[in-house]
Amino acid sequence: MGVSSADVYYDGSRAFTWLADLAGLPIDQMNFLVTQFSALGLAALLRSSLSPRAVSPATRHAFGLVLGLFFGYFSFGKHAVHLAGLPALCYVVTRTHNPRSVQRKMPTALEYFAYVLHFQALMAGPVIFYRDYIDFIGGHNIYGSKTLAGYTDKNLNSNEIVLEPSPRLVVVKKVLASCICAVIFVSFIPSFPIQKIKEDDFIENTTLGYKVGFLMVSTMLVRFKYYHAWLFADAICNNSGLGFNGYNVDGTARWDLISNVNVLKFETALSLRDSIEQWNKGTNRWLRMIVYERIKTHSTILTYALSALWHGFYPGYYLTFAGGALFTFAARSIRRHVRPYFLGSNASKLFYDTLTFVTTRVFMAYVTFSFILLEFYPSIRLYLHMYLAPHILALAVLILLPKLSGLMRHQKITTAAAAAAASDISTKKHISNGHGGPVTERMAHVAHLAQKAQ
C-alpha cells in the first residue's frame, strides 16, 4: 500500500491516481473499486428504464456489453484485448462447427459477447450459465414470481402483470457484508502477512504448532479479500435482477441462483468437500458438469487437474490442487470407515463433528497457503519444515484405514458366527431335553434359522 502507483507498470486508467494515493491503495485496486461501485449503481437501470418490459432484449444486451467493454478498458488498458480476443476465438470455433455438437441454438454475436463481457460479472464473477443469462435478459427468470392477471407484456408474451421481487434488502446486506470483510482484511492482514512464511526466522525458529496457527489465521484473512470482491459482485448481479430463484416457504424471495461464495457455510464446514462446494460456487458447478459427472474413472483427480490448469501456470496452484485431491480421498475414507462409530449418540456425534471442524480448518490452511504464495520452492520448504505431517497422515489413512476396517469387520463377523453356532447347540439341547421328538426339534431349528436370517 505504501508503493507509489507510478512504480509499477499498469496500463489501465490513471484518472483516479489522486484518490488511490489518498486512500493508500495501488491504482489497479482503486480502479477495481471505482468500476464495481459504478456497476452497482448502473445495474439498477436493468430493473427500471431498461427492464424487459421497457426495452427489447437487444437493447439490454448492448447496454451490458458496452459497459463491460468500457470497464475492461478502464481497468486494463490495451491489455483488455485479452478479454475480447479469447472469447472471439471461441466464437469462431463455435460458428464453424456443427451446431448440434456445440450448442442446440447458436447465439448471435451480440448475445454471445454480451453474455461473456456483460459488466455485472466481468470483474469478479460470479460464473453465470448461458441459459440463466438469456432468461434474465428476456425477463423469463421472473416467471416464478407472484403475478396479477390483466396485463399483456409485449416482450414476455404473457397476459399477467409480473410483480418483480425487489432485491434491495439482499443487495444492502451483501454490500454491508462486503465492506465488513474489506475492513477486516485491511485491519488485520498487516499483522499476519502471508509473505512472512518465506522468512528464515519463521521457517527455522518457530514450532510446528505456531506454524499451523499462523497459517490458519493468515489464509483466513486472505479469504476476506475474496469475500469482499465476491459478495460485492453478487450484489451487483442481484441489483440488476440476476439471481432470482423463486420464493422460500415463508414467501420471501430467494436470490441465490448465482453466487460466488457462501461465507458462513465455508467457514463452518465439517469436511474439505463441504468447504469446496461453498467456494467459487459457479466454477465448481461448471467443473462438476464438465468433468466430474462425465468421467467414470479418476473423476476427482481430473477435476482437480482441470481446476489447476484453469487457474493458470503458477506452481503454487498445482501444489494446492494436488494436495486437495489427496486430502479429499483421505477425508472420504475417514467418513466411510470411522464416522459410523460416532453415530450412536448425540454426544459422540458432536465430538466427531467438533473434531472434523478443527481438522478441516487445519488442513484447509495447510493446503491453500501455496495457492496464495504461488511459488514452488518456498512452499516445498515450508512443507518439509512441517515434516510433511498432513501428507503423511493422509497417506496413512488411505493405506492403513481400509485394512484396519477390514480386520475389524472380519473379527466382528467371526464373533457373530461363533455366537450363532453356540446358540444353535444350546437350542438343540433344549429341544432334545423336552418331549417334542425329532419333528418338533427340526421345526424349532428351522424357525430359529429363519429368525436369524431376518
Side-chain angles (χ1 to χ4, degrees):
M1 293 184 181
V3 179
S4 173
S5 58
D7 295 335
V8 180
Y9 174 74
Y10 177 67
D11 198 54
S13 173
R14 295 185 179 273
F16 292 92
T17 299
W18 61 274
L19 185 58
D21 293 338
L22 183 65
L25 293 174
I27 184 60
D28 59 333
Q29 294 183 15
M30 178 53 64
N31 283 350
F32 173 80
L33 293 176
V34 169
T35 58
Q36 292 301 82
F37 275 98
S38 300
L40 181 65
L42 291 168
L45 294 176
L46 291 166
R47 296 187 296 105
S48 56
S49 57
L50 294 175
S51 70
R53 298 176 187 166
V55 298
S56 66
T59 302
R60 286 164 62 81
H61 280 306
F63 178 74
L65 175 59
V66 170
L67 281 181
L69 291 172
F70 174 77
F71 286 158
Y73 185 77
F74 176 84
S75 299
F76 306 112
K78 64 177 180 290
H79 293 154
V81 69
H82 297 290
L83 292 175
L86 185 59
L89 179 62
C90 293
Y91 186 69
V92 171
V93 172
T94 304
R95 296 292 297 184
T96 55
H97 277 68
N98 185 342
R100 292 184 178 180
S101 64
V102 181
Q103 179 76 21
R104 279 183 281 182
K105 182 182 182 299
M106 186 67 64
T108 65
L110 178 60
E111 291 172 338
Y112 174 82
F113 285 101
Y115 163 67
V116 174
L117 300 172
H118 63 98
F119 74 96
Q120 301 103 300
L122 178 68
M123 302 300 293
V127 172
I128 301 170
F129 281 69
Y130 181 74
R131 183 72 267 165
D132 296 331
Y133 171 76
I134 292 299
D135 286 344
F136 155 74
I137 289 295
H140 306 298
N141 61 321
I142 308 300
Y143 275 155
S145 61
K146 300 174 183 178
T147 61
L148 292 174
Y151 180 84
T152 301
D153 192 313
K154 63 180 180 181
N155 290 321
L156 300 181
N157 295 319
S158 173
N159 292 323
E160 299 177 318
I161 294 177
V162 179
L163 299 181
E164 181 176 355
S166 172
R168 185 179 297 111
L169 180 59
V170 71
V171 168
V172 170
K173 287 181 178 180
K174 289 182 178 180
V175 170
L176 287 177
S178 172
C179 292
I180 291 172
C181 290
V183 170
I184 292 174
F185 173 76
V186 173
S187 300
F188 294 102
I189 197 65
S191 301
F192 300 92
I194 193 67
Q195 297 299 323
K196 182 179 179 180
I197 66 177
K198 297 165 59 176
E199 299 174 0
D200 292 339
D201 182 61
F202 180 86
I203 294 292
E204 303 290 345
N205 301 323
T206 58
T207 63
L208 177 62
Y210 181 86
K211 289 183 177 70
V212 171
F214 185 89
L215 286 179
M216 290 175 66
V217 175
S218 181
T219 55
M220 180 189 67
L221 288 174
V222 171
R223 289 198 294 272
F224 276 85
K225 176 177 66 175
Y226 289 90
Y227 295 155
H228 159 65
W230 282 348
L231 289 173
F232 205 97
D234 286 358
I236 294 171
C237 290
N238 293 160
N239 203 33
S240 71
L242 256 171
F244 176 67
N245 198 23
Y247 288 92
N248 294 308
V249 177
D250 59 1
T252 57
R254 295 174 53 192
W255 290 92
D256 58 355
L257 179 65
I258 56 171
S259 178
N260 276 308
V261 65
N262 188 313
V263 178
L264 184 61
K265 287 186 178 181
F266 179 90
E267 294 294 345
T268 59
L270 302 181
S271 69
L272 192 63
R273 183 201 66 178
D274 292 343
S275 293
I276 292 172
E277 287 181 349
Q278 304 304 323
W279 178 269
N280 206 353
K281 294 165 66 176
T283 302
N284 275 329
R285 181 184 169 194
W286 174 74
L287 287 169
R288 177 177 291 276
M289 292 177 61
I290 294 297
V291 181
Y292 190 81
E293 295 178 350
R294 294 187 178 187
I295 306 298
K296 294 183 179 180
T297 58
H298 309 300
S299 57
T300 299
I301 295 176
L302 292 175
T303 302
Y304 275 107
L306 178 60
S307 184
L309 185 64
W310 180 83
H311 278 85
F313 298 101
Y314 285 106
Y317 294 150
Y318 295 85
L319 292 175
T320 289
F321 289 108
L326 172 64
F327 298 140
T328 297
F329 288 129
R332 286 178 184 173
S333 183
I334 292 174
R335 184 176 180 84
R336 182 183 305 115
H337 298 295
V338 176
R339 185 172 180 269
Y341 293 99
F342 291 87
L343 300 180
S345 65
N346 292 332
S348 61
K349 187 178 184 302
L350 178 62
F351 173 77
Y352 177 85
D353 289 344
T354 303
L355 187 62
T356 54
F357 171 80
V358 174
T359 54
T360 298
R361 306 278 75 75
V362 172
F363 277 81
M364 182 63 69
Y366 180 82
V367 78
T368 57
F369 80 84
S370 58
F371 182 97
I372 303 168
L373 208 57
L374 299 177
E375 301 174 60
F376 180 78
Y377 175 72
S379 300
I380 294 297
R381 186 186 182 200
L382 184 56
Y383 280 153
L384 294 175
H385 278 79
M386 295 179 73
Y387 314 110
L388 292 172
H391 284 89
I392 294 172
L393 180 61
L395 289 172
V397 165
L398 290 174
I399 295 172
L400 300 178
L401 195 57
K403 294 182 179 180
L404 291 175
S405 180
L407 289 174
M408 294 177 63
R409 187 163 54 250
H410 177 72
Q411 183 178 4
K412 185 176 180 180
I413 293 174
T414 303
T415 303
S423 176
D424 284 346
I425 294 174
S426 175
T427 301
K428 289 179 179 179
K429 287 182 178 180
H430 176 74
I431 294 175
S432 63
N433 288 333
H435 301 283
V439 175
T440 305
E441 177 181 346
R442 179 177 177 83
M443 291 177 64
H445 184 58
V446 169
H448 179 67
L449 291 177
Q451 184 178 7
K452 282 178 55 183
Q454 292 177 351

